[in-house]
């Protein structure tokens, strides 16, 4: 999970306002690091720390060090962060490596750029919630959020409650879940070698696609049931397509499905 605490553009605000925000943030951070550690949360920071005060940088470093071995949720705090600035810095690093002969031009691709971002080794966000009624992302994770679901709400962030999330959560979780399943299936199909007697275009026949999604039915439903229960919502069917091939025991399907890497 990532929160946008302070953007690179926020320095343009009144000096007194910036000082007050920094004071509040540092006071909160000193207390929150203890809570995060007790709840097994790993805290990371996105953004350019050099412009922050030495005291602030010390508090951030202590929080990261205290929680670095936690195995629960990774909580990213974007402070002095700007999405365009992040991409520019990444490209400068890559350009330097290219100029120094450390990488070839053909090696500069999406994966290479992602590895130079603050969020390297982290999955892209499934959902971006934008509060305050604005219909824009305001330079927040532009590279990472290109395929994210976007939720725009009228409330300001401090007023956005758990109850508000419960209002939107069911439909959003279903949509996100379907996208995750679709992505996993498509990733597998791109790598799969055609089986004997099959042509690649046959992979996309509806019954084959549903059979692939059926392969992860149990784990998907367990996961989303737990997720809905965690926010006090009744479990609901994740898909209504699982019965399509329930009685189908075609050998070709069995052979194909057994090769699908959906065990996790």
């Amino acid at each position: 999970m990532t929160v946008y605490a302070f953007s690179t553009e926020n320095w343009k605000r009144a000096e007194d306002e910036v000082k007050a925000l920094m004071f509040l943030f540092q006071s909160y951070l000193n207390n929150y690091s203890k809570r995060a550690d007790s709840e097994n949360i790993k805290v990371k920071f996105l953004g350019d720390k050099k412009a922050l005060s030495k005291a602030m940088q010390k508090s951030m470093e202590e929080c990261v060090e205290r929680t670095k071995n936690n195995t629960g949720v990774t909580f990213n705090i974007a402070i002095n962060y700007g999405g365009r600035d992040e991409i520019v810095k990444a490209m400068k690093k890559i350009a330097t490596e290219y100029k120094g002969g450390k990488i070839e031009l053909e090696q500069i691709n999406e994966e290479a750029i992602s590895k130079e971002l603050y969020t390297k080794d982290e999955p892209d966000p499934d959902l971006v919630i934008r509060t305050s009624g604005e219909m824009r992302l305001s330079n927040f994770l532009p590279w990472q959020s290109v395929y994210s679901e976007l939720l725009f709400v009228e409330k300001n962030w401090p007023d956005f409650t758990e109850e508000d999330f419960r209002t939107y959560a069911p439909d959003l979780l279903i949509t996100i879940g379907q996208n995750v399943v679709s992505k996993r299936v498509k990733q597998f199909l791109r790598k799969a070698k055609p089986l004997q007697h099959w042509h690649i275009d046959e992979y996309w026949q509806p019954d084959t696609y549903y059979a692939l999604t059926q392969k992860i039915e149990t784990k998907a439903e367990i996961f989303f049931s737990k997720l809905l229960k965690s926010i006090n919502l009744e479990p609901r069917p994740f898909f209504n397509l699982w019965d399509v091939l329930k009685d189908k025991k075609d050998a070709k399907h069995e052979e194909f499905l057994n090769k699908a890497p959906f065990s996790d």
Side-chain angles (χ1 to χ4, degrees):
M1 182 171 72
T2 303
V3 295
Y4 208 178
F6 192 88
S7 76
T8 51
E9 290 79 14
N10 287 153
W11 293 109
K12 299 174 184 178
R13 295 185 178 188
E15 184 178 352
D16 289 344
E17 184 180 356
V18 171
K19 287 182 178 179
L21 287 171
M22 289 298 172
F23 174 78
L24 288 172
F25 180 71
Q26 187 172 351
S27 300
Y28 173 80
L29 185 60
N30 291 336
N31 294 323
Y32 180 73
S33 61
K34 301 175 185 177
R35 175 184 168 189
D37 193 30
S38 67
E39 296 180 4
N40 197 30
I41 296 171
K42 178 189 288 188
V43 180
K44 297 174 67 176
F45 294 92
L46 315 182
D48 186 357
K49 294 185 289 186
K50 297 192 293 292
L52 304 175
S53 68
K54 297 296 183 182
M56 176 73 78
Q57 291 183 48
K58 182 179 179 182
S59 295
M60 293 164 66
E61 289 166 1
E62 289 175 349
C63 184
V64 170
E65 181 65 24
R66 179 167 187 161
T67 63
K68 67 179 182 180
N69 295 321
N70 291 343
T71 57
V73 172
T74 297
F75 182 39
N76 296 322
I77 301 176
I79 180 167
N80 195 29
Y81 171 87
R84 289 182 176 180
D85 181 67
E86 177 184 29
I87 295 172
V88 169
K89 283 182 167 58
M91 293 309 300
K92 284 182 176 179
K93 289 181 183 178
I94 293 173
T96 301
E97 291 182 353
Y98 174 71
K99 186 176 180 181
K102 295 182 180 180
I103 60 173
E104 300 293 331
L105 183 62
E106 293 73 20
Q107 294 176 283
I108 302 176
N109 51 30
E110 289 186 18
E111 183 179 1
I113 296 172
S114 294
K115 286 182 178 178
E116 297 297 340
L117 301 178
Y118 296 123
T119 54
K120 63 181 179 181
D121 301 324
E122 293 187 13
D124 291 337
D126 293 310
L127 170 66
V128 175
I129 301 175
R130 174 63 208 248
T131 55
S132 76
E134 299 285 354
M135 301 292 285
R136 53 189 170 86
L137 296 183
S138 300
N139 209 11
F140 178 68
L141 301 179
W143 178 275
Q144 299 89 335
S145 62
V146 289
Y147 291 110
S148 302
E149 297 293 325
L150 304 178
L151 172 62
F152 299 97
V153 296
E154 292 293 331
K155 283 190 174 183
N156 291 325
W157 177 249
D159 300 322
F160 190 83
T161 65
E162 183 178 347
E163 189 62 34
D164 292 316
F165 182 71
R166 290 177 184 169
T167 300
Y168 297 106
D171 292 336
L172 284 170
L173 293 178
I174 298 303
T175 301
I176 291 170
Q178 289 172 330
N179 289 341
V180 169
V181 171
S182 177
K183 186 186 300 182
R184 292 294 301 277
V185 171
K186 290 177 181 177
Q187 285 173 344
F188 172 65
L189 291 176
R190 289 192 191 102
K191 298 177 181 178
K193 294 181 179 179
L195 301 177
Q196 188 175 9
H197 308 306
W198 281 46
H199 299 289
I200 192 67
D201 57 346
E202 288 182 322
Y203 287 146
W204 292 106
Q205 297 303 314
D207 60 341
T208 307
Y209 184 83
Y210 297 157
L212 281 168
T213 57
Q214 189 181 34
K215 184 72 175 180
I216 60 169
E217 169 189 2
T218 302
K219 293 199 174 186
E221 289 198 345
I222 289 175
F223 172 76
F224 279 94
S225 291
K226 287 182 177 179
L227 190 57
L228 292 173
K229 284 182 179 179
S230 71
I231 54 175
N232 299 324
L233 289 170
E234 288 298 318
R236 59 179 63 190
F238 180 51
F239 281 108
N240 59 5
L241 306 174
W242 301 121
D243 295 329
V244 172
L245 292 178
K246 196 152 249 182
D247 300 322
K248 194 174 182 68
K249 296 295 181 182
D250 184 74
K252 289 189 297 183
H253 281 95
E254 290 299 316
E255 181 184 1
F256 189 58
L257 292 175
N258 287 337
K259 294 178 179 291
F262 294 142
S263 58
D264 59 347

